[in-house]
Amino acid sequence: MTRQHITIVFFLIFCNAVSFSQSINDGLKIIDPSLFKKDFLVFKTALKQSYPSLYRYNDKKTIDKLFDSCYSEINQTTTEVKFYSIIKFLLSSLEDGHLYCSPSDEFRKYYDEYETYFPLQLKFIRNNAFVVCSKKTYLVPGTQILSINGIPINTIRKNLFQYIVSDGAIQTKKYYILSNTFWFYYNMVYGQKSFFNIKYKEKNRKIDSTIVNSELKENIECDKNNLPQEKNLQLSFPSHKIALLTIKTFIYQELSENKEDFPTFLQSAFKEIKEKRIDKLIIDLRGNGGGRDIYGSLLYSYLTDKNFRYYASLETTKRKLTAEEHPNLQTQIPNENNFTGKVFFLINGLSFSATAEFCSIARSNKRGKFIGEETGGGYYGNTSGKFVDTTLPNSKITISIPTTKYIMAVQKEKFRDRGIIPDYIVKPNISDIIENKDVQLNFAIKIARQK
């Protein structure tokens, strides 16, 4: 979705009580627990007023128990970090990947400049975790981490997953988020450690252990290759009669900054595909987290020769939107340069929001084969559109609340809380990742040649 934010800061009468806070040496404030409870009630009220999908995946009784349970967790020992983790846990339990919260400026500054973390960058694959890189070369890439401070790595993963937002029961997106920000979630849940006792397995299967010190954030982020900026929209021809359409984002701002225009690109690309008499098309949507929702319906208009529906409904907490208010509620018309050959879609856990919507329509209409990993966005829709930003008065945590519930015009599938599950599940192993092997694209090209 294209996000539109409205900021609401709740300054209620009881906000004056924040004067009880006092600074401590680490830069964070000590806040009276009663103020956290007041913040929690503001948070709960904001969700009920603006968020239309509280009961999308769970019934009211379950959600009410969730709120009560989280509220009861706030006590005299609750710190700012603990309160933030309670908010993160509750948002994750609502099963919506568009819900988001950010800490106060003081909290963020402390975490960025003073907190120390687990010093290795990891990649989580199924129940395992592997070293991707280490700035101070503690362990070589590909080393499997078995446990940290005596806790099995899969136990740690399961625990941290409870604090990461995602649509429904989808876990693929959580794997990507945890791999990118393990250092943050580990500290939030397990607390800051001065050192880590790591049990690991080397490539030769030898099991050993080592102790490493925690490090500042700046010392754990590995150097990235300074590669030239690639186009977000690309058309190539990897094999005879096969075209590869790569779409990295639907976000208008990112495309505009890179001097790319989505409608113009599609018009040119499908014209060239037609002129070259291409009969097999691979569309790579991996890593595409969404953007303008009308770009999804526009893309599908190039893949069909029939009229089609895109959204079944859009609704807020107050009303349903009409077809005059959003073009995707109207009957969609195929583009005159539509492609009628075979299509293969590459997807992964970062294929989210507007991208998952497009994939839902393509799957529902049986337009092609999906390859890779389950999308991070739900098959039946999501909650996004305009966002209301609510800043809690005492903790200064900001909650971003999506205000529009999207229901896709799709056929029924087996699961109500999952994404688009590939016809061919293809996941890279740790060697593929370290060696930059694109096994998913290679697989897509291979079966396209065979079909």
Side-chain angles (χ1 to χ4, degrees), residues 167-187:
D167 286 1
I170 300 169
Q171 293 201 335
T172 50
K173 187 183 178 189
K174 294 191 178 193
Y175 275 99
Y176 280 95
I177 293 174
L178 187 59
S179 295
N180 290 331
T181 53
F182 174 77
W183 52 273
F184 171 78
Y185 281 96
Y186 183 91
N187 272 35

Side-chain angles (χ1 to χ4, degrees), residues 132-313:
V132 175
C133 65
S134 169
K135 199 167 185 178
K136 296 198 172 181
T137 62
Y138 290 112
L139 296 172
V140 300
T143 301
Q144 182 178 348
I145 303 299
L146 302 178
S147 67
I148 300 174
N149 291 341
I151 304 176
I153 195 66
N154 196 40
T155 300
I156 294 173
R157 177 195 65 79
K158 288 179 180 179
N159 196 8
L160 300 189
F161 266 22
Q162 297 178 88
Y163 299 85
I164 301 174
V165 296
S166 184
D167 286 1
I170 300 169
Q171 293 201 335
T172 50
K173 187 183 178 189
K174 294 191 178 193
Y175 275 99
Y176 280 95
I177 293 174
L178 187 59
S179 295
N180 290 331
T181 53
F182 174 77
W183 52 273
F184 171 78
Y185 281 96
Y186 183 91
N187 272 35
M188 186 185 73
V189 176
Y190 289 96
Q192 183 180 10
K193 310 295 182 185
S194 58
F195 65 88
F196 302 91
N197 190 332
I198 302 174
K199 185 178 180 181
Y200 63 91
K201 183 189 292 185
E202 298 177 345
K203 289 183 179 180
N204 62 10
R205 315 295 291 178
K206 178 184 175 182
I207 295 177
D208 206 343
S209 63
T210 187
I211 295 177
V212 300
N213 294 325
S214 61
E215 296 283 353
L216 292 170
K217 182 182 174 184
E218 64 183 21
N219 294 329
I220 65 173
E221 295 180 327
C222 297
D223 296 330
K224 296 180 180 179
N225 295 326
N226 293 319
L227 297 174
Q229 176 67 40
E230 290 186 343
K231 289 287 187 181
N232 294 300
L233 310 173
Q234 301 174 37
L235 175 65
S236 60
F237 302 92
S239 188
H240 181 63
K241 293 295 184 181
I242 298 175
L244 170 62
L245 195 66
T246 302
I247 303 174
K248 297 181 180 180
T249 184
F250 288 132
I251 298 175
Y252 174 81
Q253 292 87 344
E254 290 185 14
L255 294 171
S256 181
E257 287 171 6
N258 212 28
K259 294 181 172 56
E260 297 173 276
D261 181 77
F262 191 71
T264 302
F265 169 77
L266 288 188
Q267 186 178 32
S268 173
F270 280 94
K271 180 181 178 182
E272 186 174 355
I273 287 170
K274 191 170 187 178
E275 289 172 348
K276 290 182 181 292
R277 297 185 178 180
I278 297 296
D279 55 16
K280 291 163 187 174
L281 173 62
I282 300 169
I283 301 180
D284 188 353
L285 296 163
R286 294 172 297 172
N288 186 334
R292 277 196 170 177
D293 42 28
I294 58 173
Y295 286 172
S297 55
L298 178 61
L299 176 57
Y300 192 74
S301 74
Y302 280 92
L303 300 179
T304 183
D305 57 3
K306 300 179 179 65
N307 290 355
F308 63 98
R309 293 183 66 210
Y310 204 76
Y311 292 153
S313 68

Side-chain angles (χ1 to χ4, degrees), residues 117-129:
Y117 304 96
F118 185 78
L120 308 176
Q121 287 199 356
L122 304 181
K123 177 65 179 179
F124 284 81
I125 302 175
R126 299 181 181 88
N127 298 329
N128 303 313

Side-chain angles (χ1 to χ4, degrees), residues 1 293 310-311 353-361 382 406 408:
M1 302 295 105
D293 42 28
Y310 204 76
Y311 292 153
S353 196
T355 305
E357 292 178 358
F358 163 79
C359 292
S360 296
I361 297 301
N382 60 72
Y406 288 66
M408 303 305 297

